[in-house]
Amino acid sequence: MTQAGGFSPGVAARVRLADGRRVFVKGVGPEPNPETPDLHRAEARITAALPDTAPVPSLLMAFDIEGWVVLVLEDVDGEAPAQPWQVDELHRVLAAAAELSILLDPSPVEAPTVAARFGEKFQGWRRLSAAAAEGSDDLAWLDPWARRNLGRLVAREAVWSAAAAGSALIHGDLRADNILLTDDRVMVVDWPWAAVGASWFDVVAMGPSVIMHGAPEAMSLLDQHLRARGADREDVTTVLIAMAGYFLRQSVQPPPPGLPTVRGFQRAQGEAALDWARERTRWG
């Protein structure tokens, strides 16, 4: 049974084997997006190295043949969180994220730091400011608050990697479509973007997608969760600002091959991240 969701251009299907067992199969070739096979290779390496106690489907086998990468994973009988988010499911996911961060701190897997993983990406505000200075983008599409505070946003973005530093293995792309809820567990899938950083990073990264999908009192719930975990307020805001800049700048780039809908999704996340940053900074 083919599974919906996500953005990778490839096969994602639940398969019943001849002996009656079910597995989840995902596979991709070098076209139409040549970067996706490397993401599948990274996912296979990370997933295979995670501890057995992690709430992650086990990797059963992987194939890499003539540019095609196929992963066969444990099948999970679960559903993605409802969209818009329901408060009880959001509480479940946030609690699971906290438990997972404890299990994976320090990281049991060799992975790049968040600075190495996202350093090239989290330069959105700097690139938008440079485009405005050289006259290639007047930023008329950008929220007026962001245009007024562009210098502040650039300055905060420049120090995001220090704010996000830590020793925990983070998922790097936590969203509803990378989560499966079973009767008694919250399973986290799709790990190609894993990195080592602050244990609260995933909740901040997930926050814009929660807000954009309309969870009741989403910002308040996210802020309460982060405070309870002892996350430094200014560090959280700095990372959030960097994420907002990344999403907004990416949203005005041409779509990557084979991913025609990703720019609209990035725009929605960027606007949600910007709303959350505006609430946290209280800049005029």
Side-chain angles (χ1 to χ4, degrees):
M1 180 184 298
T2 299
Q3 301 299 290
F7 292 95
S8 296
V11 174
R14 300 176 72 186
V15 176
R16 186 180 297 279
L17 304 181
D19 62 6
R21 289 180 300 151
R22 296 196 72 104
V23 296
F24 179 74
V25 177
K26 59 190 301 185
V28 69
E31 296 180 359
N33 189 303
E35 296 181 4
T36 306
D38 279 341
L39 293 178
H40 277 42
R41 293 183 183 103
E43 180 179 355
R45 182 181 64 81
I46 293 292
T47 305
L50 289 171
D52 292 340
T53 52
V56 178
S58 299
L59 179 69
L60 303 177
M61 62 182 67
F63 303 94
D64 197 330
I65 304 172
E66 297 182 355
W68 281 83
V69 183
V70 178
L71 279 60
V72 181
L73 297 133
E74 171 192 4
D75 183 56
V76 176
D77 188 12
E79 299 288 341
Q83 303 293 283
W85 278 83
Q86 298 175 6
V87 172
D88 60 334
E89 292 186 346
L90 180 56
H91 279 298
R92 281 187 68 188
V93 171
L94 291 175
E99 293 172 3
L100 185 60
S101 72
I102 294 171
L103 176 64
L104 300 182
D105 192 2
S107 174
V109 177
E110 184 177 344
T113 64
V114 288
R117 175 68 83 192
F118 301 113
E120 179 63 24
K121 298 177 181 295
F122 286 1
Q123 299 183 28
W125 295 118
R126 281 167 278 184
R127 289 170 175 161
L128 288 173
S129 179
E134 68 186 19
S136 60
D137 189 341
D138 63 8
L139 305 186
W141 57 271
L142 191 59
D143 183 278
W145 178 87
R147 294 202 302 271
R148 288 197 305 273
N149 289 287
L150 187 57
R152 284 174 157 176
L153 294 168
V154 170
R156 288 293 284 271
E157 177 187 69
V159 296
W160 81 266
S161 60
S167 57
L169 184 73
I170 58 101
H171 180 277
D173 193 28
L174 196 62
R175 301 188 310 260
D177 57 316
N178 287 332
I179 295 168
L180 291 172
L181 302 178
T182 72
D183 289 342
D184 59 353
R185 300 194 80 188
V186 176
M187 302 291 282
V188 181
V189 305
D190 293 347
W191 285 78
W193 296 105
V196 177
S199 62
W200 43 262
F201 184 95
D202 279 334
V203 171
V204 179
M206 181 179 74
S209 65
V210 174
I211 294 165
M212 67 174 270
H213 282 303
E217 304 295 329
M219 292 183 198
S220 177
L221 288 175
L222 292 164
D223 286 337
Q224 289 173 20
H225 172 85
L226 290 163
R227 283 196 302 271
R229 290 180 58 178
D232 182 87
R233 178 180 175 82
E234 294 306 309
D235 285 348
V236 168
T237 302
T238 297
V239 172
L240 178 61
I241 285 171
M243 288 179 179
Y246 164 71
F247 284 130
L248 289 168
R249 196 260 177 182
Q250 288 300 107
S251 75
V252 295
Q253 305 308 304
L259 301 173
T261 63
V262 72
R263 296 309 187 207
F265 186 70
Q266 288 172 331
R267 174 62 70 88
Q269 287 197 94
E271 290 173 350
L274 194 66
D275 287 344
W276 192 13
R278 179 165 38 215
E279 285 294 312
R280 293 180 65 86
T281 60
R282 301 292 183 178
W283 296 339

